Amino acid sequence: MAKLELLKQVNERTGTKDAGAVNIKDIPIGEIQTRANVRESDTVDIEDLKASIKQAGLLQPITVHKDGDGYICIMGHRRLRAYRELYKDDKDRF
């Protein structure tokens, strides 16, 4: 799972300000789904993205919204895909 402290630092690194409340929390990767219209064949630079996440961690959070008992990815589909592939190889780290 992503390190919660790293995710909390995103605001500091990006200077992002939000008008409403933003909740940052660890969500089990299995609870995040994608919509059917996401380009599943878009594998461009996934290996580079995986290498970056391995080295520096997840620098930008995957943005989701609550959908019943799970979550739907609304931003960061490629990061989610890369993270899922990394999780298969090292479940304790990712």
Side-chain angles (χ1 to χ4, degrees), residues 1-65:
M1 286 189 136
K3 300 295 181 201
L4 188 56
E5 187 58 36
L6 180 63
L7 293 176
K8 288 179 180 177
Q9 295 173 9
V10 169
N11 188 12
E12 295 170 14
R13 283 194 308 272
T14 62
T16 303
K17 300 292 179 197
D18 189 85
V22 175
N23 296 320
I24 298 175
K25 62 182 178 177
D26 284 333
I27 299 172
I29 201 163
E31 292 183 17
I32 303 173
Q33 303 300 319
T34 56
R35 296 283 186 203
N37 64 350
V38 175
R39 294 174 287 169
E40 288 296 325
S41 62
D42 187 10
T43 58
V44 176
D45 299 326
I46 291 293
E47 292 302 318
D48 291 340
L49 186 54
K50 284 171 48 179
S52 173
I53 292 171
K54 269 184 165 177
Q55 179 183 11
L58 191 62
L59 298 178
Q60 294 180 339
I62 298 166
T63 305
V64 300
H65 69 82

Side-chain angles (χ1 to χ4, degrees), residues 62-87:
I62 298 166
T63 305
V64 300
H65 69 82
K66 186 80 171 143
D67 185 48
D69 292 336
Y71 297 86
I72 300 292
C73 178
I74 56 175
M75 282 188 353
H77 296 87
R78 289 180 56 249
R79 282 174 271 151
L80 177 61
R81 185 173 181 166
Y83 211 84
R84 282 184 173 151
E85 289 182 19
L86 289 168
Y87 177 79

